[in-house]
Amino acid sequence: MQMSYIIGIDLGGTNMVAALTYKNETIIAREKTETMADSGFANVVRRLAELVQRLMDGAGVSCRQVEGIGIGVPGYLNMMSGVVHFSPNFTGWTEVPLVDELHKHISLPVYIVNDVNAHALGEYRFGAGRGAEHIAVLALGTGVGGGLILDGRLYAGSTEGGGELGHIVVDPDGPRCECGCYGCLEAFAKAQAIADRTAMKLQQGKRSLIPGMVDGDIRSITPAVVAQAAEAGDQTAIEVWDEVGMYVGIAAAGLIQALSPQVIVIGGGIAGAGRFLMDPIRRTVETRALLVPASTCRLELSPLGDDAGLLGAISLVIEKR
C-alpha cells in the first residue's frame, strides 16, 4: 500500500495539535487536545501517542500508509538524537529522549525540530518563503522566536541553537530580557511587553480608546486590543505599534546586512496587527539596510497563521525522504 500521508504535530505548552496531510499538499484531518505540560514527561508522550492514533482512526488511515511524524517542540533539542535538552514549557523536561519514548507507542519514523524552526520550514515550503532559498522568520507572540533557511536548508548552527533571533540586541540600554541580557528584541516585541508599553502610556496621561475597551482594567490589555484600537484610529495605539515596529525593523535590517535573505517573514499572534506593525518595520528597514539594500529583501506577513508550525513539522518529514 502506497505511503501517501504525513503527520505533523505542533506541541505547545497548553495544547498539542496534530494534522494529517495527503500527498504533502492538503491538511485533510486534524486533532487537538490539552497537553497537560505539568503532568510529567511519560504522560505527555502517552497523550501524543493517543492523539496520533485518534487522528489516524478518524481518517481511516493505517500506519502502513503514513511516511512519518514530524513534531515541532519548544525548547533546545538535538534533531539527530531526538533528545530534548531543555524545554521551558514542560515540567522536568531535561535531557528527555522524546523520539525513543514515542517509538515505544508508535511504530512510525518520528522527527523533531524546534517549534520556531518548524515555522520557518512551513514558510519555506508552503508560505511566504515559497520559491526562495534564503529566508528568515520572526515569530512574535508570548516570546519572540526565529528561524533561518539558508541555501534551501534549515540553519541551526553548530549547537542547534542558531536562529534565536528574538535575542538580537536592538537597544543596549533597553529593559532586561528573561534571558538575562538587556535590550533584546523579545523585551520589546513580545505580547506582554506590548501590553506594558501601552499601559505605561495610559498611566502617563495619553488619551486613548483603550481604557474603555478593557473596562478600565489596564491589566487586561492585549496586543489584539491595541490592534483594534489602532484600527479605530487611536493615536496612542498607533504610536505603540510604531515603536514596536521600529525595534523589529532594527532586527530585520541587521538580518539583511548579515545574511541577505530574500524574504523576512513576520508571524505569530502579534502579526495580527497587520499594517500597523508592518509599516514601521518597512520604514525602519528602508533607513537602516543600506550596504545590502532593503530592496533586496521582501518583508511579508505570514499567510499560514496557526498552521505554520504544523506545516513545518510536515515539511521536516518530507526533507527526511
Side-chain angles (χ1 to χ4, degrees), residues 1-7 20-24 28 52-53 55-69 107-109 317 321:
M1 190 175 293
Q2 185 178 7
M3 294 189 296
S4 302
Y5 298 89
I6 292 175
I7 294 171
L20 184 73
T21 62
Y22 179 67
K23 293 187 176 178
N24 318 324
I28 60 170
V52 169
Q53 194 61 55
L55 180 70
M56 290 193 298
D57 289 347
V61 171
S62 71
C63 284
R64 290 179 299 167
Q65 296 171 274
V66 178
E67 291 188 41
I69 301 170
S107 57
L108 283 169
V317 179
R321 287 174 174 163

Side-chain angles (χ1 to χ4, degrees), residues 17 53 90 118 130 139 172 225-226 254 259 265 303 305:
V17 184
Q53 194 61 55
F90 295 88
R130 197 167 188 171
V225 169
V226 184
L259 301 173
V265 185

Side-chain angles (χ1 to χ4, degrees), residues 38-124:
D38 295 332
S39 65
F41 174 62
N43 189 57
V44 173
V45 170
R46 179 182 60 79
R47 295 180 68 79
L48 271 170
E50 290 172 351
L51 181 70
V52 169
Q53 194 61 55
R54 285 200 306 275
L55 180 70
M56 290 193 298
D57 289 347
V61 171
S62 71
C63 284
R64 290 179 299 167
Q65 296 171 274
V66 178
E67 291 188 41
I69 301 170
I71 309 176
V73 183
Y76 177 38
L77 54 83
N78 186 304
M79 293 172 65
M80 294 297 293
S81 69
V83 170
V84 179
H85 299 303
F86 171 71
S87 178
N89 301 59
F90 295 88
T91 301
W93 280 41
T94 303
E95 303 301 330
V96 294
L98 178 57
V99 170
D100 284 349
E101 288 301 309
L102 199 52
H103 277 156
K104 294 178 181 179
H105 301 270
I106 302 171
S107 57
L108 283 169
V110 178
Y111 310 99
I112 63 172
V113 66
N114 170 269
D115 58 344
V116 186
N117 282 339
H119 188 151
L121 286 169
E123 295 294 346
Y124 170 68

Side-chain angles (χ1 to χ4, degrees), residues 179-197:
C179 75
C181 191
Y182 288 86
C184 294
L185 176 60
E186 182 171 293
F188 292 100
K190 68 179 182 179
Q192 190 59 54
I194 295 169
D196 290 345
R197 178 175 293 271

Side-chain angles (χ1 to χ4, degrees), residues 21 24 75 89 94 108 123 169 183 202 219 243 246 272 286-287 311:
T21 62
N24 318 324
N89 301 59
T94 303
L108 283 169
E123 295 294 346
V169 174
L202 298 178
R219 295 170 300 179
E243 292 168 1
M246 177 192 71
E286 286 170 2
T287 60
L311 292 169

